[in-house]
Amino acid sequence: MSQPRERVVLVTGGADGIGRRIAQTFAAAGDAVHVCDSSASAIDALVVETPTITATVADVASASDADRVYADLAQRHDRLDVLINNAGIAGPTAAVEDVADADWDRCIAVDLSGTFYMTRRAVPMLRKSAAGVIINIASTAALFGYPLRSPYAASKWGMIGLTKTWAMELGPEGIRVNAICPGSVEGERIDAVIERDAKARGTSPEDTRNIYLRQTSMRTFISCEDIAAMALFLASADAKRVSGQAIAVDGHTEGLSNSQ
Ligand code: NAD
């Protein structure tokens, strides 16, 4: 059992995308970082690049996998200081009457139930921290209605409900809970979403991309670094009075209406 002075940080879905950047940012800050991710190959690539990061292959939508992650973590550390619930999938792009049961169930299972399973198991370990922090990576989809993305919007709004509820439940014990609501991150994930969205609305990917850009006052997508920087701040002592908040990092989204 190690006795680290650094924080112990767990990042779900931490092997790729935003989670990977968050994991590497905390590791670079000197924290002991453990990630869980459903992709063994992405984990392999991450630990080759950043060997100080430890990892468990796990599907957050499975309560027994969540148990396994914490069993792994407990073998290495006697506490947890920061849990970052980042694992998430985009779910289908479809009109409400066309959403398949399996697509609805899987999106809710990963994005919402996964957040619950991972947090439920984290709380006893966070209680042993001097300054426990939970950060839920939600989305601007948690702040607006999001046509054609019913399961994703439901999951992400649900994450804000959990953020505020857990901030109230755990605040008296000094555990802070916040959500970050990222705008669209430049990269393959948003390219795939735009591609599907363009098909669904019968327009070109370029036109759809411009619709997305016009949704923000700053006419911008964001980077994984933007989210990692906000996560690092929210986990820091500078944010010691910040809890129960849903903080957008998105160039100011004005709305997610797909009819613009
Ligand atoms: P990504 O697909 O690039 O990476 C997600 C990571 O999570 C991958 O490593 C994947 O293997 C892992 N993962 C997926 N399902 C999992 C599961 N069931 N259990 C464990 N790990 C799993 O995604 P991203 O763009 O980095 O998104 C990360 C989070 O940020 C998600 O919750 C997403 O909803 C949210 N978000 C992303 C954007 C965006 O534009 N990329 C915008 C707003 C919110």
Side-chain angles (χ1 to χ4, degrees):
M1 183 82 61
S2 62
Q3 298 287 324
R5 299 172 69 89
E6 70 269 23
R7 291 173 300 190
V8 180
V9 179
L10 173 59
V11 186
T12 75
D16 209 348
I18 293 171
R20 178 190 178 94
R21 176 54 54 210
I22 291 173
Q24 291 181 322
T25 299
F26 278 81
D31 295 314
V33 177
H34 190 83
V35 306
C36 72
D37 201 289
S38 54
S39 168
S41 58
I43 282 181
D44 287 347
L46 173 70
V47 297
V48 165
E49 193 177 308
T50 315
T52 57
I53 294 178
T54 56
T56 307
V57 180
D59 176 355
V60 296
S62 155
S64 59
D65 274 21
D67 289 348
R68 212 159 38 70
V69 173
Y70 286 103
D72 250 15
L73 194 68
Q75 293 207 331
R76 295 179 167 94
H77 305 286
D78 59 0
R79 65 173 204 284
L80 176 67
D81 300 295
V82 182
L83 167 66
I84 302 179
N85 285 307
N86 163 80
I89 57 173
T93 300
V96 59
E97 69 269 32
D98 297 328
V99 175
D101 292 5
D103 289 341
W104 170 269
D105 288 347
R106 183 62 186 162
C107 188
I108 300 289
V110 175
D111 294 10
L112 188 56
S113 302
T115 301
F116 164 64
Y117 293 143
M118 294 304 296
T119 304
R120 179 173 63 174
R121 294 283 178 266
V123 168
M125 289 186 86
L126 286 167
R127 283 202 178 101
K128 297 182 193 163
S129 168
V133 170
I134 299 169
I135 298 171
N136 294 325
I137 306 299
S139 168
T140 46
L143 305 172
F144 302 94
Y146 199 2
L148 307 181
R149 298 289 296 280
S150 294
Y152 188 71
S155 301
K156 295 301 186 177
W157 277 78
M159 284 178 84
I160 304 302
L162 294 176
T163 299
K164 292 188 178 288
T165 299
W166 294 338
M168 293 171 76
E169 279 188 33
L170 302 172
E173 299 177 75
I175 298 172
R176 298 186 295 106
V177 190
N178 289 290
I180 299 174
C181 298
S184 297
V185 173
E186 193 75 70
E188 283 171 19
R189 189 179 199 268
I190 192 65
D191 289 348
V193 169
I194 285 171
E195 188 91 19
R196 284 201 301 275
D197 199 1
K199 267 190 198 136
R201 55 172 84 225
T203 58
S204 71
E206 267 164 17
D207 285 349
T208 305
R209 188 180 175 83
N210 285 329
I211 289 170
Y212 276 64
L213 283 172
R214 282 203 306 273
Q215 290 168 350
T216 67
S217 303
M218 298 182 73
R219 307 288 187 260
T220 186
F221 291 140
I222 62 161
S223 69
C224 294
E225 287 75 14
D226 295 330
I227 304 306
M230 178 57 78
L232 202 59
F233 166 72
L234 286 174
S236 75
D238 287 341
K240 63 180 180 295
R241 305 278 181 254
V242 182
S243 194
Q245 302 306 305
I247 299 171
V249 178
D250 64 345
H252 186 224
T253 303
E254 297 171 6
L256 291 176
S257 167
N258 281 338
S259 58
Q260 292 172 46

